[in-house]
Amino acid sequence: MAAGLLAGCALLDEGSSAAPDDGDGGGSDGGPVTLTVGVFGVFGFEEAGLYDEYEKLHPEVTIKEEAAPSNEEYYPALREALDSGSGLADIQAVEVGNISEVVAGRSDQLMDLATVPGVDETAFLHWKWDQATTAENKTIGLGTDIGPMAVCYRKDLFRAAGLPTDREEVAALWFSDWQKYLGVGADYRENAPEGTAFVDSAAGVYNGSISSFPIRYFGREGEPIYKDSPAVEASWDLAMQAAQGQMTAQLKQFTPEWDEGFAEGDFATVICPSWMLGHIQEKAGPAAADKWDIAAAPKPANWGGSFLTVPEAGENKEEAARLAAWLTAPEQQARLFEKQANFPSSQAAYSLPQVADATHPYFNDAPTGEIFSIAAKSIPTLQLGTKDQPIQQQITDAGILPVEQGEMTPEQAWRSAVREIDELLDR
């Protein structure tokens, strides 16, 4: 999750965040209560001062955050704790890639949060709300952030390649079609500045495309369909075109080499969710401050995001539910975006000034609030399966990357990825 500060927004007055009227804020007997919040990585609640503010509003509540370094370490422990009913925090975060498994198999172990004071279903994006809602209409998670995608691009490299640099003109080049995005890549390659590529990685192209489809790896009944999925086929073909068309810098994302690519200006575009902006700014550095801009992606797509859940086994579940509702209310989500760049899953937050008026100086004062809000409202409800993340990782790592690096043909790479995924699904 992004932890970088999004500059260019007015600071929110410390006392302006709204809170639901939930009584004295203490335990069930009105006495002191300590609420534990289990998260992974940096969720930003503590960093943005939201815990401190809630404690001021509710003097008898103390909040303690328990943070695992990564979801890879966090989620297996959470799954085990839910199954045993012990060792749980009062609030437990769940990453979007795991929410389907929790909804399908562990919803009985979590509270229905739809009727908690302060929770308004209509304030959330409908597709985000749906992801944490069971077939029986029980909502076991309240959305925190999301990752609507755009395309971050280097104006100087576009200019040198004879392409437009105005963000609206750039977005028009690939509007509504990922294939048009690669068409721009082919144009870029004809006059590319020496030593540069159009896009960072073929896996990034695949991820942008596949994330814009409502159904990809699993069908409506939860059955694996990745071998015959139109979304996988279309996205794989795009990745192969990028890899074999020499449009990529052949980099694996979130590696030191990828970070170095930003610093050296090795590629002209990267498909960027909102939370990636801080990473780009950090790795590209001050020397590139006037070179980056942001344009709308070809199609609305989402990458990332999480939920807050409240275990039924918790001793303070009613108080915890009220805290979860407050942390995910529009006012708090807007403040979190302002201070931590976590884009809200609450569509009601988009009209608040911290989001609506947000710009990013590093990216040529791009209207980030507007760009990502428009994308967020149009993202389809994604049909998630229990192993979405590992399937995609095998496709990108065992399939796409070897083609990109010249180690396999597309046919060999697809067979390799299928073998890995079949073994994964059999376990």
Side-chain angles (χ1 to χ4, degrees), residues 61-327:
V61 174
T62 300
I63 303 170
K64 301 292 185 183
E65 183 175 275
E66 301 170 349
S70 68
N71 190 48
E72 287 72 18
E73 296 181 36
Y74 170 86
Y75 183 65
L78 172 59
R79 188 168 50 194
E80 182 177 338
L82 284 171
D83 289 343
S84 67
S86 63
L88 290 160
D90 294 299
I91 293 175
Q92 295 279 180
V94 177
E95 206 273 344
V96 64
N98 305 121
I99 194 66
S100 178
E101 181 177 13
V102 174
V103 167
R106 293 174 173 84
S107 62
D108 289 346
Q109 298 152 345
L110 298 165
M111 284 185 66
D112 186 349
L113 301 177
T115 59
V116 173
V119 173
D120 178 7
E121 176 182 349
T122 64
F124 290 87
L125 292 161
H126 70 87
W127 59 266
K128 183 74 172 182
W129 183 271
D130 290 347
Q131 285 178 333
T133 301
T134 70
E136 294 75 31
N137 207 34
K138 179 181 180 180
T139 300
I140 54 90
L142 298 177
T144 57
D145 63 318
I146 57 174
M149 294 190 196
V151 177
C152 296
Y153 65 98
R154 288 275 299 244
K155 296 181 297 175
D156 57 329
L157 298 183
F158 268 45
R159 186 180 298 111
L163 295 172
T165 59
D166 176 80
R167 66 177 67 96
E168 292 187 5
E169 292 180 26
V170 170
L173 294 175
W174 52 60
F175 175 71
S176 79
D177 191 345
W178 285 103
Q179 188 66 56
K180 291 180 182 178
Y181 175 71
L182 293 189
V184 177
D187 293 341
Y188 179 87
R189 186 168 176 266
E190 289 184 5
N191 298 291
E194 185 176 358
T196 69
F198 174 64
V199 64
D200 63 323
S201 68
V205 174
Y206 177 87
N207 188 36
S209 172
I210 197 75
S211 299
S212 63
F213 285 88
I215 300 176
R216 49 185 187 179
Y217 304 126
F218 291 87
R220 294 296 186 192
E221 304 301 321
E223 73 281 11
I225 61 168
Y226 78 95
K227 294 179 185 178
D228 302 305
S229 166
V232 172
E233 181 180 359
S235 303
W236 173 270
D237 287 348
L238 288 169
M240 293 302 101
Q241 289 178 49
Q244 296 186 301
Q246 298 181 323
M247 297 182 197
T248 83
Q250 302 180 0
L251 297 170
K252 184 175 181 179
Q253 293 185 328
F254 301 102
T255 62
E257 294 76 18
W258 186 63
D259 290 344
E260 185 68 19
F262 284 111
E264 297 296 327
D266 289 343
F267 44 86
T269 71
V270 59
I271 298 165
C272 55
S274 50
W275 50 260
M276 193 184 286
L277 302 187
H279 188 90
I280 295 172
Q281 179 174 349
E282 177 187 352
K283 301 306 178 182
D290 60 343
K291 297 175 181 177
W292 284 94
D293 208 326
I294 307 171
K299 290 185 177 182
N302 184 71
W303 179 6
S306 297
F307 300 82
L308 297 183
T309 68
V310 177
E312 287 280 7
E315 295 182 3
N316 307 302
K317 62 183 183 180
E318 300 300 334
E319 294 84 358
R322 288 195 285 269
L323 173 59
W326 187 86
L327 289 172

Side-chain angles (χ1 to χ4, degrees), residues 47-70:
E47 292 77 5
L50 296 185
Y51 294 152
D52 289 342
E53 182 171 344
Y54 192 84
E55 289 174 346
K56 289 177 182 177
L57 293 169
H58 305 270
E60 296 188 22
V61 174
T62 300
I63 303 170
K64 301 292 185 183
E65 183 175 275
E66 301 170 349
S70 68

